[in-house]
Amino acid sequence: MANHLRFVGRTVMVQNGNVEAAFGVLNRILAQDGVADAVRRSRYFEKPSRARRRRAFEACRRVYCAEMARRIAFLARSSRQDPWLGC
């Protein structure tokens, strides 16, 4: 089970006995995966109506962030033609 991809991706090596740095790296990895938020949410009962609202908000946020990332990538691309050739 320890060779499973989910566990290998979350494995942090302690270098030179520096446990604090390794703990910070592990916390960052778990925060990016959303594990810490899931554990925090499951600590208490979440009403079904609140769960629906949270899931809808997260879905809207994903769509908004994807659209903004697409727009920024479109504007920041390097192969754009100059819109004002004669100026």
Side-chain angles (χ1 to χ4, degrees):
M1 183 71 123
N3 290 334
H4 193 271
L5 186 59
R6 287 181 78 168
F7 294 107
V8 171
R10 294 179 182 154
T11 302
V12 177
M13 302 300 289
V14 177
Q15 297 175 349
N16 299 329
N18 195 354
V19 178
E20 288 81 16
F23 188 67
V25 170
L26 181 64
N27 276 340
R28 194 173 324 119
I29 290 171
L30 293 178
Q32 288 174 350
D33 288 347
V35 174
D37 293 332
V39 169
R40 200 173 301 120
R41 266 197 319 270
S42 66
R43 184 174 295 167
Y44 301 106
F45 176 73
E46 185 177 21
K47 293 172 74 172
S49 60
R50 283 198 173 245
R52 281 193 301 270
R53 281 177 43 197
R54 178 182 50 80
R55 286 195 302 265
F57 174 77
E58 289 171 355
C60 289
R61 185 175 178 192
R62 274 194 304 273
V63 169
Y64 176 80
C65 289
E67 179 66 18
M68 289 307 292
R70 188 186 66 82
R71 288 181 181 193
I72 290 171
F74 177 75
L75 292 175
R77 70 188 194 278
S78 61
S79 61
R80 281 187 359 166
Q81 293 179 356
D82 188 11
W84 298 285
L85 290 175
C87 295

